[in-house]
Amino acid sequence: MGDEVFKLKGNQTGLQLVFAPGIAFETLRNEIQKRLESGSQFFKRGTVIQLVPDQLSKENEESLRKLFHQYGVLFRVEPIEDVSKARRPIPKQKAPETNIPAAQAAAKESPAEPKPAEEHRMMVINRTVRSGQEIQTQGSVLICGNVNPGAEIIAGGSIDIRGTCRGIVHAGAYGDRNSFIIADCLMPVQIRIADLIAQAPDSIEKPAYAEKASVKNNQIIIEPIER
Amino acid sequence: MGEVIVITSGKGGVGKSTTTASLGVGLAMRGKKVALIDTDTGLRNLDILLGLERRIVYTLVDVAQKRVNYGQALVRHKKYSNLFLLPTSQVADKTAIEPEQMKQLVDTMRNEFDFILIDCPAGIEQGFQTAVIGADWAVVVTIPEVSAVRDADKIIGRLQAVNKDIKLIVNRIDPQMVKAGTMLDMTSIDDILSLPCIGQIPDDREVINASNQGIPIIEWSNTAAGRAYNDVVGRICGEDIPFKPFETEGFFARLKHVFGH
C-alpha cells in the first residue's frame, strides 16, 4: 500500500475504505482526519464511504462515522455488494418469511406478484398528505410536502419525504425488507417496513437531521443522514 | 356579486356557529348586506346565538324543496337591518337538502347580498358536502387541541380536493396555557395545517355569557374575544391588521371583566 496508511477504492456504490490489517486505529484516524482537512476531492459532501464489517471494533467504527460526519461524508459499515448482481431483478415472491401484518393484507388487493413496470415506477406526490388521506403504490414514492398525523403512506418500495413525517409510513409493503424510509423530519407514530413494525416513543423531539429508517438484523433502525 | 364563505371545522364544539354569528354581525356593522345560512339541519342553533329563534316561520328545507322562495324564509336581525338569517329545520335531517339544491340557492342569493356565510355542521357526511358546494372559499375553525387540529387537517384535505381556498381561525386560545407550554401554540398548529391565518381568538368566558343572551360576542367590543373577531372581519374585508400579542390577564383585568357588564 506504499506510504499511504489507507486507500479509498472506488466501486459502483461509492468508495470503499481499505487499510492494512493490524494498523493502529489512532494512526488510521489521524491520517483520515488529515486527508479530510486537506479538502481532498474525494470528500465532497454526501460522498458515501463504505467499510467491510468486522475490521474495526464498534467504538472505532462509531468514532470514524462521527469524524466523517463532521465533513458531511457518510460512513457506512456494510458488506460491499456486487452491484451487477444486485441490479438484477430480484424475484419479489420470497418464501413467506413471517406473519403478514394486517395492514399489508388490506393494502394488497391482488396477492399476485406486482408487474416489474409498476414495481419500479416512482410515484411523486407534490403536496402535503393530510389526515385521512392514503397514498398507495406498488413502487416507491416521493412526497414533496408533509405527511400529517392520521395520513398513511403504503409503498411496495421505499418512501422519501421532503418534509415532516408524522403519519404512518409502510415501506416494502409486499415484503421487501430492503426498502427504506427517508424524511427531512422523521417523527411518525409508526414505521412499518415489510413485516416489521416500530412504534414511536411517547414523547418525540423534532429531529434536527434528515433520517433514514431501514431494516438491520431483523429490526427497524433509524440513523441520521446527509441530504 | 356577493362572496360566499363556508365556516367549517370537522370537529364539533370548536365555535363554528359562534364564529359565523360574530362575523355576520361584524360585516353588517360595516354596512355590508349579509345572509347567514344555517346548514346544521336537525341540530340548528345559529338562530339561538343571534336571538332570532322566535321569529322563524319557514326554513332552508322549505326553500330547498321549493315550497317557498328564500325571501320568505329569511329572518331579519333585530338590531342590524342589513343582516339576515336563513335558518334550517329542527325536525328534518341532513338528507332533506341535496348539495345541488344548495348550490342553486346560493347562486341565486349571491345577486342580492354582499356576503353569504354558511354555517357548516360538524362531520364529513352529506351535511358537509351540502354546506361546502356553493362556497367560494372556506374558513376552517379549530382550537389548540390535538384532536381538533387533526379533524381540521382532514377537512382541509377534503376542501383542497374540491379546490377551495382556505383560511384558518384558531379559537379559544388560552394565552397563559400557551405560555406555560401546556397548550398547542400557533407555530405547532401552523406546522401541521400550514394555512393563512385570519384569526386568533382568545378563550373568553364572556362568549358563553353573550351567547346565552342571543348576542354575538363581537357586539361586546370591550371583550378580548369581541376585539379579536372584529379584527377578523377587517381582514375578510381586505384590511391589513397585524396580530396583537395576547395580554396574559392580570388580576385587575379580570376584575374589570367581572364588573364589565
Side-chain angles (χ1 to χ4, degrees), chain B residues 144 170-186 200-205 224-225 227-228 244-250 253-254 257:
Chain B
V170 182
N171 195 14
R172 306 202 62 175
I173 300 171
D174 185 325
Q176 269 161 336
M177 283 181 76
V178 171
K179 216 171 149 192
T182 50
M183 184 179 261
L184 287 176
D185 61 359
M186 282 309 296
Q200 296 171 14
I201 317 294
D203 194 22
D204 187 341
R205 17 189 358 150
R227 283 194 299 270
K244 300 170 190 86
F246 293 120
E247 36 190 283
T248 28
E249 278 185 59
R254 246 185 258 173
H257 268 193

Side-chain angles (χ1 to χ4, degrees), chain B residues 39-183:
Chain B
T39 60
D40 202 352
T41 306
L43 292 167
R44 72 166 190 214
N45 45 33
L46 189 55
D47 51 319
I48 302 170
L49 298 177
L50 289 158
L52 298 175
E53 190 184 6
R54 282 165 297 168
R55 305 186 179 206
I56 296 172
V57 181
Y58 296 111
T59 67
L60 180 62
V61 176
D62 298 317
V63 178
Q65 297 177 351
K66 303 224 155 56
R67 284 195 284 272
V68 297
N69 62 44
Y70 74 83
Q72 289 168 276
L74 283 175
V75 181
R76 190 190 290 268
H77 192 264
K78 288 175 279 191
K79 200 156 146 199
Y80 305 98
S81 61
N82 48 344
L83 175 65
F84 296 85
L85 170 70
L86 181 48
T88 191
S89 166
Q90 183 69 308
V91 289
D93 63 47
K94 306 227 169 22
T95 56
I97 304 160
E98 291 295 324
E100 206 40 53
Q101 295 172 325
M102 186 68 183
K103 187 165 169 23
Q104 277 176 19
L105 170 66
V106 168
D107 282 338
T108 333
M109 283 179 73
R110 71 160 89 221
N111 295 315
E112 193 190 327
F113 293 92
D114 297 319
F115 282 97
I116 298 171
L117 306 186
I118 300 170
D119 184 19
C120 179
I124 49 174
E125 291 78 27
Q126 190 184 331
F128 169 76
Q129 312 291 349
T130 306
V132 162
I133 189 166
D136 301 323
W137 58 280
V139 168
V140 169
V141 182
T142 191
I143 55 175
E145 264 179 39
V146 176
S147 53
V149 171
R150 183 76 58 97
D151 290 0
D153 193 44
K154 171 131 197 172
I155 285 291
I156 293 162
R158 292 284 180 105
L159 289 166
Q160 282 175 341
V162 291
N163 292 319
K164 301 282 180 201
D165 226 3
I166 309 162
K167 295 195 169 99
L168 184 70
I169 292 181
V170 182
N171 195 14
R172 306 202 62 175
I173 300 171
D174 185 325
Q176 269 161 336
M177 283 181 76
V178 171
K179 216 171 149 192
T182 50
M183 184 179 261

Side-chain angles (χ1 to χ4, degrees), chain A residues 39-64:
Chain A
S40 162
Q41 275 297 306
F42 273 138
F43 299 124
K44 274 189 212 149
R45 285 185 81 77
T47 305
V48 177
I49 291 184
Q50 287 168 302
L51 177 70
V52 179
D54 305 324
Q55 295 193 70
L56 292 173
S57 71
K58 282 274 171 275
E59 295 103 79
N60 288 350
E61 281 174 358
E62 183 59 23
S63 155
L64 280 189

Side-chain angles (χ1 to χ4, degrees), chain A residues 15 17 24-25 30 42 52 56 70 94-95 108 138 140 142 146 148 160 163 173 180 182 188 191:
Chain A
L15 294 168
L17 177 65
F25 178 71
N30 288 343
F42 273 138
V52 179
L56 292 173
Q70 282 170 18
K94 291 179 202 156
K108 194 158 56 173
Q138 303 267 324
S140 295
L142 169 68
N146 298 340
N148 279 356
D160 186 353
F180 55 85
I182 293 178
I191 294 180

Side-chain angles (χ1 to χ4, degrees), chain A residues 127-133 146-151 164 166 189 206, chain B residues 150-158 160-161 188 191-195:
Chain A
R127 62 178 164 85
T128 287
V129 187
R130 294 183 183 270
S131 175
Q133 296 178 334
N146 298 340
V147 175
N148 279 356
T164 303
R166 294 190 181 87
V189 286
K206 198 168 180 168
Chain B
R150 183 76 58 97
D151 290 0
D153 193 44
K154 171 131 197 172
I155 285 291
I156 293 162
R158 292 284 180 105
Q160 282 175 341
S188 343
D191 226 20
I192 291 182
L193 301 183
S194 43
L195 285 183

